Amino acid sequence: IVITTGQIAKTNTEKELLQVFSKLTAHIVLDHNLMNLNHEVHSQRSAEFWSTFATIASAVAMEFANIQYGTNFNAGDVVLAGLSSAAISDAIIRSSGSNFNSEQEQQATYLGTEYLKVLESRAGFEYLPDKEYNIYISSILSLTAWQEYHWNNYDRSMVYMDRVFKLGIANEEDYLLKAKLTRTMSNTPESNLEALQLINTALAMNDFDFVEALAEKGLILIRLGEVSQAREVFVEYKTAVSGMPEIPPGRDATWANRMLIKCDQLMMKR
């Protein structure tokens, strides 16, 4: 059975998650995976089939090596790992007989529903409260939100972030992402002030040391017309990245210098 973090993130209740699992289990019981897999292996695409499996094996081995021998991971690493696993999961789904046709989907939906009826009829069975369930999957919601952000699906990313914030358990990375989304999706005085407040909250959290927040704060301050403050933030950012072995993509000291020049130009116009 293959289930992705994206599928889990789309569920709002434990019942919805069990519906997904029940349907996937039904596909196995009905031999849909085996039938589709046999068809794939013996089709004209057999070479592509085995090539995909080789690719998956290589990707998994590389990910394992990175985790086994790596030293430091930051928010960017987490997102990259998530994107890699998403690509691997997609390849597995397409090459493990999980590409079901409409008739198979209908059969699995019916049988999965019957499974749930039996489960719900058991004495003492009850689902987790919705809030408790969402707390359990909150890390998946955050990861999926970052993935959607990097795929430029800002509306979807904000939906997942709103769910995390509604739970009242947002961490520093959640505040950073919501600030980035707020700045990206709107450019009004109100939205920029909201984004600034989110960034300041992230920076105030004890365990937060991502310089990316400084870059984001500088960009927001420029929008708000607080250019001198923005310049101070970019100076701090440049100092921070200068001593970093791993620099956020596209946000190195050269980028910081360009932002400082921009601030100087804006101040000269006043």
Side-chain angles (χ1 to χ4, degrees):
I1 295 176
V2 177
I3 184 167
T4 66
T5 53
Q7 287 176 298
I8 296 174
K10 289 178 182 178
T11 63
N12 291 280
T13 66
E14 187 183 23
K15 182 174 182 176
E16 290 179 2
L17 179 64
L18 288 180
Q19 286 173 335
V20 173
F21 275 116
S22 296
K23 186 175 180 180
L24 292 173
T25 303
H27 279 301
I28 298 294
V29 172
L30 294 168
D31 286 336
H32 290 163
N33 296 72
L34 183 59
M35 287 188 290
N36 293 348
L37 187 60
N38 286 335
H39 180 269
E40 185 77 16
V41 171
H42 292 94
S43 71
Q44 294 179 352
R45 292 180 293 168
S46 59
E48 178 186 348
F49 171 85
W50 292 114
S51 174
T52 302
F53 261 97
T55 302
I56 295 169
S58 299
V60 171
M62 289 168 58
E63 286 296 320
F64 176 79
N66 287 338
I67 294 171
Q68 184 75 13
Y69 304 109
T71 53
N72 296 310
F73 292 91
N74 55 32
D77 296 320
V78 173
V79 172
L80 288 175
L83 294 174
S84 298
S85 63
I88 293 170
S89 297
D90 180 64
I92 292 173
I93 288 172
R94 288 186 287 105
S95 299
S96 64
S98 300
N99 208 6
F100 306 114
N101 59 40
S102 58
E103 182 180 359
Q104 291 172 335
E105 290 285 2
Q106 291 175 4
Q107 292 172 349
T109 298
Y110 172 78
L111 187 56
T113 301
E114 294 302 308
Y115 286 162
L116 275 186
K117 288 180 181 178
V118 173
L119 181 64
E120 292 170 345
S121 66
R122 291 182 179 178
F125 174 82
E126 59 181 20
Y127 292 107
L128 286 172
D130 294 350
K131 183 175 182 178
E132 186 176 347
Y133 170 74
N134 278 274
I135 289 175
Y136 275 125
I137 68 167
S138 59
S139 60
I140 291 177
L141 295 175
S142 296
L143 174 60
T144 306
W146 275 105
Q147 290 174 346
E148 295 290 357
Y149 172 79
H150 284 280
W151 287 330
N152 299 327
N153 297 326
Y154 304 126
D155 288 333
R156 273 189 243 167
S157 180
M158 184 63 89
V159 168
Y160 292 124
M161 271 294 92
D162 285 341
R163 286 176 61 183
V164 173
F165 273 76
K166 186 177 180 180
L167 294 170
I169 58 172
N171 61 27
E172 56 274 13
E173 292 179 33
D174 297 326
Y175 276 98
L176 169 60
L177 177 55
K178 190 161 187 178
K180 291 169 77 72
L181 287 167
T182 301
R183 181 180 63 82
T184 302
M185 298 172 68
S186 180
N187 185 13
T188 65
E190 294 77 16
S191 64
N192 290 328
L193 284 171
E194 180 185 356
L196 181 61
Q197 183 177 7
L198 290 164
I199 278 294
N200 285 334
T201 301
L203 287 167
M205 291 187 169
N206 294 332
D207 297 329
F208 191 71
D209 59 357
F210 296 114
V211 295
E212 189 176 357
L214 292 174
E216 189 66 27
K217 182 174 182 178
L219 294 172
I220 296 169
L221 286 169
I222 287 178
R223 276 194 177 182
L224 289 168
E226 302 293 342
V227 183
S228 60
Q229 291 184 42
R231 194 184 192 287
E232 293 176 5
V233 171
F234 287 128
V235 168
E236 184 180 356
Y237 175 85
K238 180 181 176 181
T239 302
V241 296
S242 296
M244 290 179 61
E246 297 180 8
I247 301 172
R251 296 290 178 87
D252 56 9
T254 301
W255 178 84
N257 283 330
R258 287 201 299 267
M259 297 310 300
L260 289 171
I261 292 171
K262 181 176 181 178
C263 288
D264 290 339
Q265 291 173 338
L266 290 172
M267 288 189 290
M268 287 177 61
K269 291 179 180 180
R270 297 187 173 186

